[in-house]
């Protein structure tokens, strides 16, 4: 039976490097319990909710740069949420599946909430 670790870390909105450090620290802590997969919250790199930071020029690419630096440091299997911009300029609320320093897959959230305080259609494709 697979073993999952849910890493409910306290991210800070906009602290990309600090959030990446929390991911690595949580991965080391979780490794003690030998999980098959460590699952992080959506938009972990950016912090939640990033709201209008997502409208600032360069924020998506800064998050992508932090992910590029983080991926080779991941030991084990992790699902990490982050904002992603494609080469075509499409912006997604994404989740990266990373195994032992290699990006294996990326999922784009497709059912975007758009009610009450949730306004994801404003920010994401």
């Amino acid at each position: 039976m697979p073993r999952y670790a849910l890493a409910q870390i306290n991210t800070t909105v906009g602290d990309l490097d600090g959030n990446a450090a929390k991911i690595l620290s949580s991965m080391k802590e979780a490794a003690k319990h030998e999980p098959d997969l460590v699952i992080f919250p959506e938009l972990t790199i950016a912090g939640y909710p990033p709201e209008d930071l997502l409208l600032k020029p360069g924020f998506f690419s800064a998050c992508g740069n932090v992910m590029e630096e983080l991926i080779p440091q991941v030991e084990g299997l992790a699902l990490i949420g982050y904002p992603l911009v494609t080469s075509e300029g499409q912006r997604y609320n994404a989740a990266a599946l990373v195994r032992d320093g290699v990006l294996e897959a990326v999922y784009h959230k497709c059912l975007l909430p758009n009610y009450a305080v949730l306004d994801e259609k404003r920010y994401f494709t």
Side-chain angles (χ1 to χ4, degrees):
M1 179 174 287
R3 294 173 53 101
Y4 302 104
L6 302 178
Q8 293 292 89
I9 62 175
N10 187 16
T11 59
T12 301
V13 173
D15 184 6
L16 310 183
D17 292 329
N19 294 338
K22 288 178 182 181
I23 290 168
L24 292 174
S25 175
S26 294
M27 290 293 298
K28 287 180 183 172
E29 183 66 27
K32 297 174 187 175
H33 304 283
E34 301 178 3
D36 296 300
L37 172 65
V38 181
I39 303 169
F40 291 90
E42 71 177 306
L43 299 172
T44 306
I45 292 293
Y48 192 86
E51 296 180 331
D52 285 354
L53 275 177
L54 296 167
L55 300 176
K56 291 196 172 283
F59 186 72
F60 275 85
S61 60
C63 290
N65 292 339
V66 169
M67 278 298 291
E68 286 179 16
E69 294 172 10
L70 175 67
I71 288 169
Q73 300 177 64
V74 171
E75 296 178 9
L77 183 62
L79 187 64
I80 304 168
Y82 71 110
L84 167 71
V85 65
T86 66
S87 56
E88 297 83 27
Q90 302 262 352
R91 300 185 301 173
Y92 293 100
N93 182 342
L97 186 65
V98 181
R99 182 189 311 268
D100 294 322
V102 177
L103 177 64
E104 291 202 347
V106 175
Y107 171 81
H108 302 152
K109 185 175 180 180
C110 56
L111 297 175
L112 302 175
N114 200 42
Y115 54 87
V117 297
L118 302 173
D119 195 12
E120 289 195 20
K121 289 183 181 179
R122 178 178 180 204
Y123 306 112
F124 300 113
T125 302

